[in-house]
Amino acid sequence: LTDLKLFQFGSDHYSTKLSDRPILSAHYTIHYVFSGSGTVRIGNTMYPVAPGSVFVVFPNQIRQIIPGGDAPLGIHWVEMDGEVLLPELLRLNLTPNEPILPLTVPGGTGKTAAYFSELSTAKEENSEHQLGICWLILGALSSETAQVKPQRIGNQRKYYVAQAIDLIHRCYMQDITVEDIADHCGLNRSYLGKLFRDETGKSTQEYLIEYRMEVACRYLRETTAPIGTIALSVGYQNQLHFSRAFRKTYGMSPRDWQKEHRMHQSELSAQNVDS
């Protein structure tokens, strides 16, 4: 039962009349665009989407959907977790910094589109039936993309990286180091670093810092907690070290980032009221 867990699913239509608010993903959320076009912001990066686009939001990432054009942007989505999910996403070359999965079939056609559509109408079905469709979706994603990494017998690379990412997601608020992560995986630091960079395009340390900064942005956006408290909440015992890491990542201090974001949100709210 821990292999794959289904939390929720649905279908949404987004209009240009109202801005979608940023949403923090608690688990892995896979999206399939079935109509319209627009842009999705995941973290600090913008990605264009159109019918047939598949994108994944990883745990503790913030996403915002921005419709474009006159037609509503229609998206099926499913929120899942479980031991099998992260290794499968890595096998599809999907990472927090590479969240778009190109399909080899036209938008609205193929098994992926059919299974997402079936899931969206399965709210009255039992949980076993719904979970079965989720497995079919994962299989369809694998069969309808050319982005699958070849599997080699005895190749444990993706599982080591999955272990490392899972530890970071669970323990980022603690004073963990790259050595701690390597020990957790049963590897030395340099070997884990090579595997991690091959799979994600960045070092273990870079991923840990970026993940902590993403969570810090969530606290800055959604709470009034002091900067020192936020620093402790994302694993920094020293507020100065946290502020330096934040400035290096975003080019401004945590306080300035918070002020700028809240000003932007106020402007968006005023625009929505006027419209």
Side-chain angles (χ1 to χ4, degrees), residues 30 41 46 55 58 85 134 167 184 188 232 235 258-259:
I30 304 175
R41 184 199 302 272
M46 306 287 284
F55 61 93
F58 283 67
L85 196 51
C134 293
L167 182 68
H184 173 75
N188 66 55
L232 289 172
Q258 186 180 56
K259 290 179 180 177

Side-chain angles (χ1 to χ4, degrees), residues 75-219:
I75 297 180
H76 297 310
W77 56 272
V78 57
E79 183 179 353
M80 297 184 287
D81 213 322
E83 295 175 0
V84 72
L85 196 51
L86 181 57
E88 180 63 15
L89 294 178
L90 292 176
R91 192 175 72 86
L92 294 173
N93 275 319
L94 289 165
T95 70
N97 287 327
E98 298 289 341
I100 306 296
L101 181 67
L103 298 184
T104 56
V105 298
T109 67
K111 295 179 180 178
T112 301
Y115 291 142
F116 264 106
S117 179
E118 181 180 353
L119 182 63
S120 70
T121 61
K123 293 187 181 296
E124 303 302 321
E125 302 291 343
N126 59 47
S127 58
E128 289 81 5
H129 181 89
Q130 295 169 352
L131 189 61
I133 301 175
C134 293
W135 281 105
L136 291 173
I137 287 173
L138 291 179
L141 292 174
S142 180
S143 66
E144 294 184 342
T145 181
Q147 193 166 286
V148 182
K149 287 189 176 182
Q151 293 195 44
R152 294 175 292 185
I153 296 176
N155 182 6
Q156 297 296 313
R157 153 182 325 213
K158 61 180 178 292
Y159 295 105
Y160 287 131
V161 175
Q163 279 186 303
I165 290 177
D166 179 66
L167 182 68
I168 291 171
H169 287 184
R170 289 188 292 105
C171 301
Y172 66 88
M173 71 292 295
Q174 301 174 17
D175 189 22
I176 59 172
T177 64
V178 174
E179 286 79 7
D180 296 328
I181 298 170
D183 288 343
H184 173 75
C185 298
L187 303 173
N188 66 55
R189 172 176 176 165
S190 60
Y191 184 56
L192 174 63
K194 181 182 184 306
L195 297 184
F196 205 95
R197 187 174 291 280
D198 288 344
E199 293 289 335
T200 68
K202 62 185 61 178
S203 70
T204 317
Q205 180 74 7
E206 289 170 342
Y207 185 92
L208 173 61
I209 292 174
E210 289 183 12
Y211 190 77
R212 283 170 164 167
M213 294 303 105
E214 287 182 9
V215 178
C217 286
R218 170 195 169 192
Y219 288 128

Side-chain angles (χ1 to χ4, degrees), residues 1-102:
L1 292 178
T2 62
D3 284 351
L4 189 65
K5 295 180 285 186
L6 171 62
F7 289 91
Q8 55 182 336
F9 59 89
S11 298
D12 294 312
H13 290 83
Y14 299 89
S15 168
T16 55
K17 293 182 179 179
L18 292 176
S19 296
D20 175 45
R21 62 185 179 86
I23 293 178
L24 179 70
S25 181
H27 306 99
Y28 299 88
T29 308
I30 304 175
H31 304 72
Y32 179 84
V33 179
F34 62 87
S35 66
S37 62
T39 306
V40 59
R41 184 199 302 272
I42 302 177
N44 295 310
T45 305
M46 306 287 284
Y47 303 93
V49 294
S53 293
V54 174
F55 61 93
V56 179
V57 180
F58 283 67
N60 285 312
Q61 281 193 310
I62 295 173
R63 74 107 174 106
Q64 183 179 16
I65 293 171
I66 305 167
D70 297 328
L73 177 57
I75 297 180
H76 297 310
W77 56 272
V78 57
E79 183 179 353
M80 297 184 287
D81 213 322
E83 295 175 0
V84 72
L85 196 51
L86 181 57
E88 180 63 15
L89 294 178
L90 292 176
R91 192 175 72 86
L92 294 173
N93 275 319
L94 289 165
T95 70
N97 287 327
E98 298 289 341
I100 306 296
L101 181 67

